[in-house]
Amino acid sequence: MREVICLKVNYEGCALCDATWGSYYRTLEGSKLFFCCSICADAFENMIRRVREEKAWNRVDAVEISGNYSMGRTCSATSGSDEVRYFFKHENGTITEFKIL
Amino acid sequence: MNPVSLCPVCLISEPSLKELSAHLVERAGQSDPGHIMWLNRNVTSKKLDTDGLSSKFSEIMRYSDLKRWFVDIFVRRFFGEPAHRFIRLMQKPTKELLAGYAIEHHHFLKQWVKSCAYILAKTDSEEVAQYEMENMSTEYFGWNGLPSHHEYLLQMGEAAGISREQILNSKPLGKTEDSIALWRKIARESHWLLILSAMHPLELIANKRIRKYGGTYGYFDPSILSDGSIPEAAARFLYQGYSADQSHSEDALEFISRYSQELDMVEECQEIFLASVDAFDLYLLARIERGDLLKGKL
């Protein structure tokens, strides 16, 4: 049986900021995700890449995000039974601050 | 002049608020980051159709006293609950924050006097010209034998641990640069009253009456001026702005109120102010970011 890969996010709107404006999609971790714009998609993609690097995970199953651009975002991510909490900020999609909590 | 609606993101003119709303909906539909970010921060992050956005926009633009409308928008954005992060940090500022403030504000002030100079060059109003000449002198060149605010700013930076050469030779951070780009564009391309409406209400930031206008905080906790928690030069700089910006900002609101009605430009003045407020929010974040970059280096 083929493994179904699907990244769970906690927002119904843009996967990063929850806005429902826009019409931008990007496939990440096997899931076609909705973003309001390419900047949010870049930030989300770079954030996932950083989590994978920091934790040496080969996939991320779920991400839960709270916060915003100016305050920064506090998140938790899971991969199988592993979980990590972290904080990050981005500038035009590039991660400028990343801390494991 | 025929009244028009001005896009607070790209500054293009549309014939009415309805058409401006259609423009914003269209640009957001194309996933344009600038238009979406503006809508998220200023109207709603939930997608609306043109009629829905037009109706929301009308609510935002409604006023009974135009001067008070400017004050209310500004107070809500920077001093509401939660207040802007820079305002919260300024209640008890660290030397890094003050140094970051000095560096980024140096770049802001360079654009500030240019914007004032554009108003001066474009206006035929004697009272506005006089106001701008005094403002430019106070802010950048010195007035009545007193040092300029810019000089006080450099002294604050020095007291916080960075030399004036470092400030003068610095490059602005990206956020400051982006904000200045908008103010530069407004200065070059817009009617003098629009430049004035974009720039001078920003001086409300240091207005002593901000708490009376509904702010959760003032610009800073006034006790820091005398409790020794910040260098004397920083207290001197903050006091200068505190005592001057009240009259500057309120005189400007008087001009905007009067001339915008005479020239039938009320809505444009409101919209350009909304654009400028967004840029100012970003610029205040740059002061924090610069302070963070200086941690452990002063």
Side-chain angles (χ1 to χ4, degrees):
Chain A
M1 200 170 81
R2 195 164 66 90
E3 187 187 8
V4 177
I5 304 166
C6 181
L7 173 63
K8 282 189 195 150
V9 294
N10 60 315
Y11 290 143
E12 286 179 13
C14 171
L16 185 81
C17 74
D18 203 22
T20 54
W21 297 104
S23 54
Y24 191 92
Y25 289 86
R26 191 174 291 178
T27 300
L28 297 170
E29 305 291 293
S31 291
K32 188 178 177 188
L33 298 174
F34 168 75
F35 296 97
C36 63
C37 66
S38 61
I39 291 180
C40 280
D42 287 348
F44 192 94
E45 183 171 4
N46 288 328
M47 176 267 288
I48 291 284
R49 186 177 299 137
R50 184 69 180 263
V51 170
R52 288 175 63 148
E53 280 168 15
E54 293 278 341
K55 297 297 291 178
W57 288 348
N58 58 14
R59 69 167 204 275
V60 176
D61 295 326
V63 179
E64 198 165 314
I65 300 176
S66 65
N68 58 36
Y69 165 75
S70 63
M71 304 296 289
R73 291 178 163 93
T74 302
C75 314
S76 66
T78 56
S79 176
S81 57
D82 275 0
E83 183 171 3
V84 64
R85 290 190 72 243
Y86 55 95
F87 171 86
F88 82 99
K89 282 185 174 185
H90 79 95
E91 200 62 59
N92 290 321
T94 303
I95 306 299
T96 52
E97 195 178 337
F98 187 95
K99 275 187 294 204
I100 299 282
L101 302 175
Chain B
M1 285 177 86
N2 290 324
V4 295
S5 296
L6 209 58
C7 173
V9 184
C10 57
L11 306 182
I12 66 155
S13 297
E14 293 286 353
S16 69
L17 204 55
K18 182 82 182 275
E19 274 145 305
L20 172 59
S21 301
H23 161 78
L24 284 159
V25 167
E26 187 193 352
R27 297 297 285 130
Q30 294 161 346
S31 288
D32 176 72
H35 287 78
I36 289 178
M37 281 190 273
W38 189 85
L39 286 164
N40 285 347
R41 287 197 285 254
N42 294 277
V43 187
T44 173
S45 61
K46 302 299 163 208
K47 185 177 179 176
L48 295 170
D49 61 14
T50 298
D51 286 339
L53 181 59
S54 180
S55 137
K56 272 254 189 231
F57 221 139
S58 300
E59 277 170 38
I60 293 169
M61 304 292 273
R62 193 170 299 135
Y63 63 90
S64 53
D65 171 347
L66 187 58
K67 286 189 278 186
R68 193 59 205 234
W69 180 88
F70 278 84
V71 171
D72 288 345
I73 291 278
F74 196 87
V75 168
R76 264 202 304 275
R77 181 65 173 259
F78 298 104
F79 298 95
E81 192 56 64
H84 190 284
R85 202 149 60 91
F86 179 75
I87 300 299
R88 282 182 281 136
L89 292 171
M90 272 303 285
Q91 302 308 303
K92 294 282 173 209
T94 60
K95 65 179 177 181
E96 288 83 2
L97 186 71
L98 294 172
Y101 184 164
I103 294 176
E104 297 309 308
H105 201 51
H106 159 67
H107 298 287
F108 175 92
L109 280 179
K110 279 190 352 192
Q111 178 56 43
W112 178 268
V113 283
K114 288 180 192 171
S115 295
C116 294
Y118 270 104
I119 300 171
L120 176 62
K122 290 180 180 183
T123 187
D124 286 323
S125 159
E126 279 293 328
E127 61 179 347
V128 172
Q130 180 68 35
Y131 171 81
E132 294 302 344
M133 283 190 278
E134 186 184 325
N135 195 304
M136 282 189 281
S137 305
T138 314
E139 295 292 344
Y140 214 77
F141 304 108
W143 177 254
N144 280 344
L146 292 169
S148 66
H149 290 174
H150 184 249
E151 173 56 31
Y152 285 123
L153 178 79
L154 295 174
Q155 290 174 8
M156 174 171 84
E158 288 175 314
I162 41 169
S163 70
R164 66 177 55 214
E165 287 70 29
Q166 278 175 289
I167 299 173
L168 297 173
N169 296 329
S170 66
K171 293 257 184 287
L173 290 176
K175 290 184 176 79
T176 302
E177 219 162 346
D178 289 349
S179 303
I180 286 175
L182 176 82
W183 294 318
R184 188 184 298 123
K185 181 176 163 71
I186 291 171
R188 284 181 178 161
E189 297 174 7
S190 303
H191 187 282
W192 68 264
L193 183 57
L194 295 180
I195 313 172
L196 196 150
S197 302
M199 303 311 292
H200 287 292
L202 302 180
E203 291 182 287
L204 284 165
I205 195 76
N207 191 304
K208 276 183 197 165
R209 285 204 274 247
I210 220 74
R211 295 192 69 160
K212 286 190 187 143
Y213 291 141
T216 326
Y217 300 96
Y219 188 37
F220 50 82
D221 177 347
S223 70
I224 65 171
L225 294 178
S226 55
D227 67 6
S229 63
I230 60 171
E232 209 175 297
R236 206 161 43 234
F237 167 75
L238 292 175
Y239 179 76
Q240 294 300 322
Y242 198 48
S243 54
D245 284 348
Q246 178 174 330
S247 56
H248 281 176
S249 58
E250 294 188 10
D251 289 350
L253 293 181
E254 180 58 40
F255 288 145
I256 295 165
S257 176
R258 185 150 40 89
Y259 284 103
S260 65
Q261 288 173 56
E262 266 178 48
L263 299 170
D264 211 357
M265 289 173 65
V266 173
E267 195 187 305
E268 283 171 274
C269 290
Q270 290 176 289
E271 286 150 353
I272 207 138
F273 169 67
L274 291 176
S276 186
V277 159
D278 224 41
F280 194 62
D281 188 316
L282 189 67
Y283 160 65
L284 292 184
L285 292 177
R287 291 181 182 175
I288 302 172
E289 188 181 326
R290 179 70 79 171
D292 288 344
L293 292 171
L294 292 169
K295 279 181 184 160
K297 294 180 184 163
L298 298 178

